[in-house]
Amino acid sequence: MTIRRALVVLGALLAVVLGAAAPASAHAALVNTTPGEDSVVKTAPQQVLLTFSEGVLLSADSLRVLDPAGSRVDSGTPQHAGGNSSTAVVALRAGLGDGTYTVAWKAVSEDSHPVAGAFTFSVGAPSKTSVVLADQEQAVGGGAAGVLYGIGRYVAYAGYAMLVGASVFLAVCWPRGALLRPMQRIAVGGWVALVASTIALLMLRGPYVNGSGLGDAFDLGVMRDVLNTRPGAALLSRLLLLAAAAVFLAVLFGSYAKRGTPANESERAERADLAWGLGIGGGVIATGIAATWAMAEHASVGIQSGLAMPVDVVHLLSMAVWLGGLTALLTALVAGLGIEREAVQRFSRIGFAAVTTLVATGIYQSWRQLGSWDAFVSTSYGQLLLVKIGLVVLLVELAWLSRRWTARLGAPAVSVTAAAAVKRPERVVAGSSTDPARQAQLRLQRTARDKTQAKRTREADLERSGLRKSVLAEVVVAVAVLAVTTLLTGTQPGRAAQEKTGSAPAPATSSPSSGLPLSVRIPYDTGGPKGKGQALITIDPGRVGQNEVHVLISGADPVPVDVPEVKLEFTLKAKNIGPLPVPLQHLDVGHWTAASVQLPIAGTWEVSVTVRTSEIDQVTETRNVEITS
C-alpha cells in the first residue's frame, strides 16, 4: 500500500535523524571547581568540590582524581556537599605530592540527561602527566547506546500516542470499530511498541549515561543501579501501568465492544456503568503513563516545576488523543471500514479540544523553557522549537481542512472490505473440496475482487476521499512533530543555556563611588603575531559580595577579537586570600562573562588576566582595583 510505504520511509528517515542527534546536549553545566581549573595550590587539598548549574545525580564513579602517573587518589564515594544536589565532592588521600592532578567527572542532570568532563589542577607546581582519559569520559549520552536510546524515546512517544489515541477513538467516537481487527491492531500495536521501547530504554539507560559499551545493557549490576535512579523508577512504573493497560484493552475489545447496541433499559445501564469504569480506569492509566515522562525530564527541573509537571501531563495526553486518533481515523478511511459520519464528527470535536489544549500548554512550556525572545534564535532549543511551531501551524491548517470535509460527509458507502473486516465463514465452492490448488486460486480471486471493489467505492465518495487525503497529510506532519518533540527532550532548554552564559549590557569605565560598574583596562602583548591588544575588565557593582564580571578583549585597534583562551583571577594579598579563579563563559566575539563572583572582603584586590593568542604565545598581566564594602 502506497500510504503505508510512505509512512514507513518517513519513520525510517526520522529514526536516522534522531540517531544522528546523539549525544544529547548537556543540561547541567559545571560552573565552578575547588581547586580551580588549571590552578596551582601551595598545599594538597583535602577534597575536590564541583558546583553545577542545576542538581545532578551521582554514582560511585562520578568523580575520579588521578595523580601524574595515572593512579587514583580519591577516597570514598562522591557525595553532595551539605545536601546541596547541585554539588559533588570527593575526599582525597592524605600526603599528596607536588604535580598536576586530573579530575574526571560524570553525572546525570535532574532531567535525566548525562554530562561529563575533566580538568586539571596542580600542587606546588605544574608537572607532566601520563593520564590519558578513555573516550567514554567524553562520550556519555553518545555512541551506539545514545543512537538506540534516542530511537527508543521516539518509539515510546509514538506507541503512547497510538495506545491512548486509538483507545479514546474506539471507546468514545466509534465503539463499533472496536470489533474490527484493523482498528484493534492500532491500539495493541501502540501497547506493544511502548512496552518494547520501555524495556529497551531500561536496558540502554546504563550504557547511555556511563558512555560504556552495549554489553552493559545485560549487566544485572548496572540494571540495579539504573532502577535506583529517578529515571529508572519512572520506566519501571511505566511498565507496571502498561500491565494495567493490557487489562483495559482486553475489556475494551471484549465485553464492551461485544455488547453492541443495548436492547432495553437494563442493558443500557450496564453498558453505561462499563463505559464509566473504562473511562475512569483508562484515564488514570493514561495520566499515570504521561507522568512517567513529566517526573523525569524537563518539566521536573527549573522554575515552577510544581505547575510544569501537571501541565506537561496534560500536554502529552492532548498530543496522544489527537495524533493517535488521527491514525485511527485514517485507518478506518483507507481500509473502507464504513465509519459513520457521526463518529467522524465526534472525533472532530474531541480533536478540536485536544488541539486547543495542546497549544495552550505548549505556550506555557515555551515560555518556561525559553525565558526570552532572543532564545528562539540564539539557542538550539529555540531553533528546534521554531521548527515545531511551524509544523504545528501547518497541522492546525490541515485540521481545519479536515473539519470542512467532515461537515460535508454523507452516509457511508460500506465497502466489501468493511464487511470482510469481521471474520466470516469461507464460502464452499461445489466440486472444489478435493482440489486445494483450485480452492486457493478462488480465494485469491475473491481477495483481488474485494480490493478492487473497495477502491472503486472509496474513490466514488468524493467527501470521504477528500477527508482521507487531508487526514493522511495530518498524520505525516504529526510524525515530523513527534520527531522534533523527541529532539527537544534531548536539548538543553533555552533558559538554562542563557543562564549558563549570562547576558549583560556594554560595560562603562567608572569608579565605585560613581554608582556605576568598576572597570579597569589592561594592555597586553603576548609577543606573537597579532599578540598586542587590551583587556577591559568590568566588575559590577565592584563591592563586597556577589559581582558580575565581564572581560572584553580587543586587538591593536578597538575592534573586539576572539582569542583561544582567557583566564581571570582575584587575589587579596593583605589578607592572604586567593588566587580566586573566575569561571568565564564565552558570550560573544571578544566577550567573556561570569555571572556570580564572590569577593568577600573590602580592600585592594589584584586582578590577574591571562590572554593566550596562539598555542605558545600567552601573557599574564595584573592591576589593582579597590573593592568597597
Side-chain angles (χ1 to χ4, degrees):
M1 184 182 295
T2 304
I3 295 174
R4 184 180 301 173
R5 289 177 181 173
L7 290 175
V8 169
V9 171
L10 182 58
L13 290 174
L14 291 171
V16 171
V17 172
L18 289 171
S25 301
H27 288 224
L30 181 64
V31 297
N32 194 24
T33 66
T34 304
E37 183 175 355
D38 296 330
S39 65
V40 179
V41 296
K42 295 180 179 180
T43 59
Q46 297 180 342
Q47 63 182 21
V48 170
L49 172 66
L50 279 63
T51 304
F52 296 90
S53 59
E54 66 179 51
V56 294
L57 305 176
L58 303 177
S59 60
D61 61 344
S62 285
L63 281 176
R64 297 190 298 120
V65 184
L66 310 174
D67 66 13
S71 300
R72 293 188 63 165
V73 295
D74 52 287
S75 175
T77 303
Q79 304 288 338
H80 294 301
N84 185 352
S85 63
S86 62
T87 62
V89 62
V90 68
L92 299 179
R93 296 176 186 172
L96 297 184
D98 291 352
T100 298
Y101 292 80
T102 302
V103 180
W105 60 269
K106 60 182 178 181
V108 179
S109 300
E110 284 187 339
D111 59 1
S112 81
H113 298 281
V115 291
F119 67 92
T120 62
F121 70 90
S122 300
V123 177
S127 67
K128 292 183 179 180
T129 176
S130 61
V131 174
V132 178
L133 296 177
D135 291 340
Q136 71 180 46
E137 297 294 346
Q138 306 296 332
V140 296
V147 171
L148 294 175
Y149 197 85
I151 294 173
R153 286 190 303 173
Y154 178 79
V155 173
Y157 279 124
Y160 178 71
M162 297 303 100
L163 171 62
V164 174
S167 297
V168 171
F169 184 85
L170 295 175
V172 179
C173 303
W174 196 32
R176 185 179 71 82
L179 287 170
L180 305 179
R181 288 292 180 86
M183 305 305 297
Q184 294 175 359
R185 291 193 190 103
I186 300 173
V188 174
W191 182 87
V192 171
L194 189 51
V195 170
S197 59
T198 302
I199 294 174
L201 290 173
L202 265 175
M203 297 178 66
L204 291 168
R205 183 71 192 171
Y208 172 68
V209 301
N210 295 326
S212 55
L214 291 177
D216 280 0
F218 304 95
D219 189 313
L220 295 180
V222 173
M223 180 66 70
R224 183 174 58 252
D225 293 339
V226 168
L227 293 176
N228 288 330
T229 65
R230 187 169 61 180
L235 291 171
L236 182 60
S237 299
R238 189 182 303 170
L239 282 178
L240 295 175
L241 288 166
L242 284 169
V247 178
F248 169 86
L249 292 178
V251 175
L252 175 63
F253 298 143
S255 57
Y256 180 75
K258 292 176 181 178
R259 284 180 182 271
T261 303
N264 52 54
E265 188 65 30
S266 176
E267 289 184 2
R268 279 194 292 272
E270 289 180 5
R271 183 177 176 82
D273 290 342
L274 184 57
W276 274 106
L278 274 177
I280 295 173
V284 170
I285 293 169
T287 302
I289 294 175
T292 62
W293 274 288
M295 67 182 286
E297 296 195 350
H298 288 323
S300 63
V301 179
I303 64 171
Q304 300 182 357
S305 59
L307 175 61
M309 286 193 286
V311 168
D312 194 49
V313 169
V314 173
H315 190 77
L316 285 169
L317 285 170
S318 303
M319 175 275 296
V321 170
W322 187 21
L323 303 190
L326 279 177
T327 305
L329 176 59
L330 178 63
T331 301
L333 293 170
V334 170
L337 299 180
I339 184 172
E340 296 85 359
R341 178 173 181 264
E342 293 75 15
V344 179
Q345 289 177 329
R346 277 194 292 269
F347 175 71
S348 181
R349 291 190 292 269
I350 291 175
F352 178 78
V355 170
T356 303
T357 305
L358 195 67
V359 171
T361 54
I363 290 173
Y364 169 76
Q365 288 180 322
S366 299
W367 167 81
R368 179 178 176 272
Q369 301 289 15
L370 283 177
S372 69
W373 292 106
D374 177 66
F376 269 115
V377 294
S378 63
T379 66
S380 298
Y381 188 93
Q383 293 163 6
L384 278 173
L385 188 58
L386 284 176
V387 174
K388 181 179 178 179
I389 290 172
L391 290 171
V392 170
V393 170
L394 176 59
L395 205 53
V396 171
E397 290 291 332
L398 291 170
W400 175 80
L401 180 61
S402 296
R403 284 176 63 86
R404 291 191 61 189
W405 282 114
T406 298
R408 298 169 58 182
L409 283 181
V414 181
S415 68
V416 176
T417 306
V422 182
K423 190 174 181 180
R424 59 188 179 184
E426 193 73 30
R427 292 168 54 190
V428 179
V429 180
S432 63
S433 59
T434 59
D435 189 354
R438 176 60 178 164
Q439 192 74 4
Q441 184 181 18
L442 289 173
R443 283 196 297 269
L444 291 175
Q445 290 176 351
R446 284 196 298 272
T447 301
R449 182 194 62 199
D450 290 348
K451 287 183 178 180
T452 302
Q453 185 174 344
K455 183 177 180 181
R456 289 174 180 172
T457 303
R458 291 197 303 268
E459 292 177 351
D461 192 336
L462 295 180
E463 288 76 15
R464 289 174 183 273
S465 178
L467 179 61
R468 183 173 66 252
K469 292 175 182 178
S470 64
V471 172
L472 172 61
E474 281 189 77
V475 171
V476 171
V477 176
V479 171
V481 170
L482 205 58
V484 176
T485 299
T486 307
L487 291 176
L488 281 170
T489 64
T491 305
Q492 187 173 54
R495 185 185 293 271
Q498 288 198 325
E499 287 176 354
K500 177 176 143 184
T501 58
S503 59
T509 304
S510 63
S511 64
S513 60
S514 68
L516 295 175
L518 171 65
S519 295
V520 58
R521 195 177 301 272
I522 306 177
Y524 67 85
D525 185 1
T526 64
K530 299 181 179 180
K532 291 185 178 181
Q534 60 181 359
L536 176 61
I537 302 169
T538 302
I539 309 166
D540 187 8
R543 295 186 176 89
V544 170
Q546 182 171 301
N547 287 264
E548 190 171 80
V549 174
H550 297 271
V551 179
L552 285 177
I553 301 295
S554 57
D557 52 25
V559 178
V561 295
D562 272 339
V563 293
E565 187 176 38
V566 176
K567 295 181 182 180
L568 189 67
E569 293 179 337
F570 287 87
T571 304
L572 183 59
K573 293 185 176 180
K575 300 293 184 179
N576 197 28
I577 298 177
L580 304 178
V582 177
L584 295 173
Q585 299 287 341
H586 187 251
L587 184 63
D588 202 350
V589 176
H591 189 179
W592 285 259
T593 183
S596 179
V597 178
Q598 291 289 338
L599 299 176
I601 299 176
T604 302
W605 287 77
E606 181 183 87
V607 181
S608 173
V609 60
T610 299
V611 180
R612 180 167 63 85
T613 57
S614 71
E615 290 295 326
I616 58 175
D617 300 317
Q618 77 173 38
V619 66
T620 299
E621 300 286 351
T622 61
R623 292 290 188 278
N624 291 333
V625 294
E626 194 69 24
I627 301 298
T628 61
S629 57

